[in-house]
Coordinates of all heavy atoms in Angstrom, one line a residue:
L1723 N 96.6 21.5 82.2 CA 95.5 22.5 82.3 C 95.7 23.1 83.9 O 95.9 22.5 84.8 CB 94.2 22.0 82.2 CG 93.8 21.5 80.8 CD1 92.3 21.0 80.8 CD2 93.9 22.5 79.6
R1724 N 95.5 24.4 83.8 CA 95.5 25.1 85.1 C 94.5 26.4 85.1 O 94.0 26.7 84.0 CB 96.9 25.7 85.4 CG 97.5 26.7 84.5 CD 99.0 27.0 84.7 NE 99.3 27.6 85.9 CZ 99.2 28.9 86.1 NH1 98.9 29.7 85.0 NH2 99.4 29.5 87.2
G1725 N 94.3 26.9 86.3 CA 93.4 28.0 86.3 C 91.9 27.7 85.9 O 91.3 26.5 86.1
Y1726 N 91.2 28.7 85.4 CA 89.7 28.5 85.1 C 89.6 27.5 84.1 O 88.6 26.7 84.1 CB 89.2 29.8 84.6 CG 87.8 29.9 84.3 CD1 86.9 29.3 85.1 CD2 87.4 30.3 83.0 CE1 85.5 29.3 84.9 CE2 86.0 30.2 82.7 CZ 85.0 29.8 83.6 OH 83.7 29.6 83.3
L1727 N 90.4 27.3 83.1 CA 90.1 26.2 82.1 C 90.2 24.9 82.6 O 89.4 24.0 82.1 CB 91.2 26.4 80.9 CG 91.0 27.7 80.0 CD1 92.0 27.6 78.8 CD2 89.6 27.7 79.5
A1728 N 91.0 24.7 83.7 CA 91.1 23.3 84.3 C 89.7 23.0 85.0 O 89.1 22.0 84.9 CB 92.1 23.3 85.2
K1729 N 89.2 24.1 85.6 CA 87.9 23.9 86.3 C 86.8 23.7 85.3 O 86.0 22.8 85.3 CB 87.5 25.0 87.1 CG 88.5 25.3 88.3 CD 88.3 26.7 88.9 CE 89.4 27.1 90.0 NZ 89.1 28.4 90.5
Y1730 N 87.0 24.6 84.1 CA 85.8 24.4 83.1 C 85.8 23.1 82.5 O 84.7 22.4 82.4 CB 86.2 25.6 82.0 CG 85.2 25.6 80.9 CD1 84.0 26.3 81.1 CD2 85.3 25.0 79.8 CE1 83.0 26.3 80.1 CE2 84.4 25.0 78.8 CZ 83.3 25.7 78.9 OH 82.3 25.8 77.9
A1731 N 86.9 22.5 82.1 CA 87.0 21.2 81.5 C 86.4 20.0 82.3 O 85.8 19.2 81.9 CB 88.5 20.8 81.3
K1732 N 86.5 20.4 83.8 CA 85.8 19.2 84.6 C 84.3 19.3 84.6 O 83.7 18.4 84.8 CB 86.5 19.4 86.0 CG 88.0 18.9 86.2 CD 88.4 19.1 87.6 CE 89.8 18.8 87.6 NZ 90.5 19.1 89.0
L1733 N 83.8 20.6 84.6 CA 82.4 20.9 84.8 C 81.6 20.9 83.6 O 80.3 20.8 83.7 CB 82.3 22.3 85.5 CG 82.9 22.4 87.0 CD1 82.8 23.9 87.3 CD2 82.2 21.4 87.9
V1734 N 82.2 21.2 82.5 CA 81.3 21.4 81.2 C 80.7 20.1 80.7 O 81.4 19.1 80.6 CB 82.1 22.2 80.1 CG1 83.3 21.3 79.5 CG2 81.3 22.8 79.1
F1743 N 77.5 23.9 82.2 CA 78.0 23.1 83.3 C 77.0 21.8 83.7 O 75.8 22.2 83.8 CB 78.2 24.0 84.5 CG 79.4 24.8 84.4 CD1 79.8 25.9 85.3 CD2 80.4 24.7 83.4 CE1 81.0 26.6 85.2 CE2 81.6 25.4 83.3 CZ 81.8 26.4 84.2

Side-chain angles (χ1 to χ4, degrees):
L1723 298 177
R1724 58 191 295 274
Y1726 180 52
L1727 288 184
K1729 298 173 188 175
Y1730 182 84
K1732 290 178 182 177
L1733 295 172
V1734 71
F1743 283 172

